Amino acid sequence: MLELEQELVKVVHINTRSEKHGDDHVLGVDLKLQARLSNDVLSLFSPTLKASFYHKDEGVQGDLVTDAGYLPNLKNPALGTVKWDGSWEHQRLVIHNGVTEAYDIVLDESKVNKLAFDFQEGGTVFVNFRVQAHPDETTTAKLLSLLGQEVHMSLDFEDPPEMKEAA
Protein backbone atom coordinates (compact mmCIF):
# COMPACT_ATOMS: atom_id res chain seq x y z
CA MET A 1 0.00 0.00 0.00
CA LEU A 2 1.33 3.41 -0.95
CA GLU A 3 2.29 5.77 1.86
CA LEU A 4 3.54 9.32 1.42
CA GLU A 5 4.92 11.73 3.99
CA GLN A 6 5.29 15.32 2.76
CA GLU A 7 6.28 14.14 -0.74
CA LEU A 8 6.20 16.38 -3.79
CA VAL A 9 3.33 15.15 -5.99
CA LYS A 10 2.06 16.52 -9.29
CA VAL A 11 -1.69 16.93 -9.89
CA VAL A 12 -1.86 15.58 -13.45
CA HIS A 13 -5.62 15.48 -14.03
CA ILE A 14 -8.86 16.19 -12.15
CA ASN A 15 -12.25 14.71 -13.00
CA THR A 16 -15.39 15.86 -11.22
CA ARG A 17 -18.66 13.99 -11.37
CA SER A 18 -22.01 13.56 -9.67
CA GLU A 19 -22.71 10.23 -7.96
CA LYS A 20 -26.05 8.93 -6.81
CA HIS A 21 -25.99 7.71 -3.18
CA GLY A 22 -29.53 6.50 -2.61
CA ASP A 23 -31.73 9.48 -3.46
CA ASP A 24 -28.93 12.00 -2.93
CA HIS A 25 -26.51 13.38 -5.48
CA VAL A 26 -22.95 13.52 -4.11
CA LEU A 27 -19.99 15.32 -5.65
CA GLY A 28 -17.17 12.96 -6.57
CA VAL A 29 -13.62 13.85 -7.58
CA ASP A 30 -10.91 11.74 -9.20
CA LEU A 31 -7.37 13.05 -8.85
CA LYS A 32 -4.73 11.59 -11.14
CA LEU A 33 -1.44 12.10 -9.29
CA GLN A 34 2.23 11.46 -10.01
CA ALA A 35 4.97 11.18 -7.40
CA ARG A 36 8.67 10.95 -8.24
CA LEU A 37 10.13 8.69 -5.55
CA SER A 38 13.15 6.55 -4.76
CA ASN A 39 12.81 3.00 -5.99
CA ASP A 40 12.88 1.99 -2.31
CA VAL A 41 9.12 2.72 -2.31
CA LEU A 42 8.64 -0.55 -4.23
CA SER A 43 9.22 -2.50 -1.00
CA LEU A 44 5.83 -1.21 0.22
CA PHE A 45 4.23 -3.44 -2.40
CA SER A 46 6.53 -6.48 -2.44
CA PRO A 47 9.92 -7.21 -0.88
CA THR A 48 11.23 -8.51 -4.23
CA LEU A 49 9.77 -5.85 -6.54
CA LYS A 50 12.79 -3.53 -6.55
CA ALA A 51 15.25 -6.32 -7.41
CA SER A 52 12.90 -7.49 -10.17
CA PHE A 53 13.36 -4.27 -12.13
CA TYR A 54 16.66 -2.80 -10.90
CA HIS A 55 20.24 -3.98 -10.47
CA LYS A 56 23.64 -2.45 -9.80
CA ASP A 57 25.89 -2.29 -12.84
CA GLU A 58 29.37 -2.73 -11.39
CA GLY A 59 30.95 -1.56 -14.65
CA VAL A 60 29.30 1.85 -14.40
CA GLN A 61 29.15 2.53 -10.68
CA GLY A 62 32.16 0.56 -9.55
CA ASP A 63 32.58 0.65 -5.78
CA LEU A 64 31.33 4.20 -5.25
CA VAL A 65 28.32 3.02 -3.26
CA THR A 66 28.75 -0.06 -1.08
CA ASP A 67 25.12 -0.38 0.11
CA ALA A 68 23.76 -3.75 -1.09
CA GLY A 69 20.26 -2.25 -1.39
CA TYR A 70 21.43 0.42 -3.83
CA LEU A 71 20.09 -0.71 -7.21
CA PRO A 72 20.05 2.26 -9.61
CA ASN A 73 20.16 0.57 -13.03
CA LEU A 74 17.17 -0.70 -14.96
CA LYS A 75 17.27 -4.34 -15.97
CA ASN A 76 14.89 -3.79 -18.90
CA PRO A 77 14.71 -0.10 -19.88
CA ALA A 78 12.28 -0.74 -22.77
CA LEU A 79 9.67 -2.28 -20.48
CA GLY A 80 7.67 0.92 -20.02
CA THR A 81 5.00 1.61 -17.44
CA VAL A 82 3.90 -1.34 -15.30
CA LYS A 83 0.42 -1.42 -13.76
CA TRP A 84 -0.08 -2.67 -10.21
CA ASP A 85 -3.41 -4.26 -9.40
CA GLY A 86 -5.17 -3.21 -6.24
CA SER A 87 -7.45 -0.73 -4.58
CA TRP A 88 -7.07 0.72 -1.10
CA GLU A 89 -9.99 2.28 0.74
CA HIS A 90 -10.07 4.41 3.90
CA GLN A 91 -7.09 6.48 2.80
CA ARG A 92 -6.44 10.00 4.06
CA LEU A 93 -4.84 12.38 1.57
CA VAL A 94 -3.50 15.64 2.97
CA ILE A 95 -2.42 18.28 0.48
CA HIS A 96 -0.09 20.68 2.26
CA ASN A 97 -1.21 23.83 0.49
CA GLY A 98 0.17 26.58 2.69
CA VAL A 99 2.53 27.49 5.47
CA THR A 100 0.35 26.10 8.27
CA GLU A 101 -1.97 23.15 8.74
CA ALA A 102 -4.93 25.53 8.52
CA TYR A 103 -4.39 25.70 4.74
CA ASP A 104 -4.15 21.92 4.25
CA ILE A 105 -6.69 20.25 2.02
CA VAL A 106 -7.77 17.02 3.72
CA LEU A 107 -9.60 14.28 1.84
CA ASP A 108 -10.80 11.69 4.35
CA GLU A 109 -12.26 8.33 3.36
CA SER A 110 -10.53 8.39 -0.02
CA LYS A 111 -9.88 5.44 -2.27
CA VAL A 112 -6.54 4.88 -4.03
CA ASN A 113 -6.38 2.78 -7.20
CA LYS A 114 -5.07 2.61 -10.78
CA LEU A 115 -1.47 2.43 -9.61
CA ALA A 116 1.30 2.32 -12.22
CA PHE A 117 5.09 2.42 -11.96
CA ASP A 118 7.25 4.19 -14.53
CA PHE A 119 10.77 2.99 -13.74
CA GLN A 120 13.62 5.42 -14.42
CA GLU A 121 17.35 4.89 -14.75
CA GLY A 122 19.21 6.07 -11.66
CA GLY A 123 16.95 4.55 -9.00
CA THR A 124 13.89 6.75 -9.41
CA VAL A 125 10.35 5.60 -10.09
CA PHE A 126 7.35 7.70 -11.07
CA VAL A 127 4.35 6.36 -9.15
CA ASN A 128 1.12 7.27 -10.92
CA PHE A 129 -2.13 6.72 -9.04
CA ARG A 130 -5.71 7.86 -8.73
CA VAL A 131 -7.38 9.15 -5.58
CA GLN A 132 -11.18 9.12 -5.49
CA ALA A 133 -12.85 11.32 -2.89
CA HIS A 134 -16.09 13.15 -2.07
CA PRO A 135 -15.12 16.71 -1.11
CA ASP A 136 -17.51 19.62 -0.70
CA GLU A 137 -17.76 22.36 -3.32
CA THR A 138 -15.25 24.67 -1.60
CA THR A 139 -12.63 21.95 -1.33
CA THR A 140 -13.24 20.94 -4.95
CA ALA A 141 -12.57 24.52 -6.08
CA LYS A 142 -9.28 24.48 -4.14
CA LEU A 143 -8.34 21.20 -5.80
CA LEU A 144 -9.08 22.55 -9.27
CA SER A 145 -6.70 25.44 -8.64
CA LEU A 146 -3.87 22.91 -8.16
CA LEU A 147 -4.19 21.29 -11.59
CA GLY A 148 -0.77 20.91 -13.22
CA GLN A 149 1.11 21.93 -10.08
CA GLU A 150 3.44 20.02 -7.80
CA VAL A 151 2.49 20.22 -4.12
CA HIS A 152 3.55 18.39 -0.99
CA MET A 153 1.19 15.60 0.01
CA SER A 154 0.84 12.93 2.67
CA LEU A 155 -1.14 9.74 2.20
CA ASP A 156 -1.85 7.08 4.78
CA PHE A 157 -4.44 4.60 6.00
CA GLU A 158 -7.27 5.96 8.09
CA ASP A 159 -9.45 3.95 10.45
CA PRO A 160 -12.86 3.34 8.87
CA PRO A 161 -15.78 5.27 10.49
CA GLU A 162 -17.16 2.13 12.18
CA MET A 163 -13.78 1.51 13.86
CA LYS A 164 -13.61 5.12 15.06
CA GLU A 165 -17.09 4.85 16.57
CA ALA A 166 -16.18 1.61 18.36
CA ALA A 167 -13.12 3.24 19.90
Side-chain angles (χ1 to χ4, degrees):
M1 173 170 55
L2 182 63
E3 295 175 3
L4 302 173
E5 184 63 40
Q6 294 271 350
E7 297 289 346
L8 200 56
V9 179
K10 183 174 184 178
V11 180
V12 177
H13 181 76
I14 299 174
N15 179 50
T16 58
R17 65 187 183 291
S18 179
E19 294 180 0
K20 192 106 168 166
H21 291 198
D23 291 334
D24 300 327
H25 288 277
V26 177
L27 179 62
V29 174
D30 296 340
L31 300 172
K32 185 177 178 186
L33 305 172
Q34 182 181 66
R36 182 180 181 191
L37 304 169
S38 163
N39 61 8
D40 292 332
V41 74
L42 299 174
S43 66
L44 295 174
F45 301 93
S46 169
T48 60
L49 191 58
K50 180 178 171 182
S52 297
F53 293 98
Y54 289 92
H55 70 102
K56 182 178 177 185
D57 185 353
E58 296 295 335
V60 177
Q61 256 68 24
D63 290 328
L64 294 176
V65 179
T66 57
D67 179 13
Y70 180 67
L71 305 174
N73 304 107
L74 286 172
K75 288 183 177 179
N76 299 291
L79 188 60
T81 302
V82 174
K83 293 181 181 178
W84 188 263
D85 193 27
S87 179
W88 300 271
E89 296 191 19
H90 310 294
Q91 300 295 302
R92 182 173 191 257
L93 180 70
V94 179
I95 301 171
H96 307 286
N97 194 34
V99 283
T100 66
E101 287 183 17
Y103 295 101
D104 287 354
I105 300 170
V106 179
L107 299 175
D108 290 318
E109 283 303 307
S110 298
K111 181 178 179 181
V112 174
N113 55 26
K114 294 204 174 185
L115 204 72
F117 302 114
D118 187 2
F119 305 109
Q120 303 293 306
E121 187 69 29
T124 300
V125 60
F126 285 104
V127 180
N128 299 291
F129 59 103
R130 179 175 72 175
V131 173
Q132 295 180 299
H134 297 94
D136 59 24
E137 291 84 2
T138 304
T139 304
T140 302
K142 290 177 185 177
L143 291 170
L144 289 169
S145 71
L146 299 176
L147 183 60
Q149 295 183 38
E150 289 187 13
V151 291
H152 287 91
M153 296 186 193
S154 298
L155 176 70
D156 59 10
F157 178 76
E158 170 181 62
D159 287 335
E162 55 275 5
M163 288 180 71
K164 288 180 186 175
E165 291 171 9

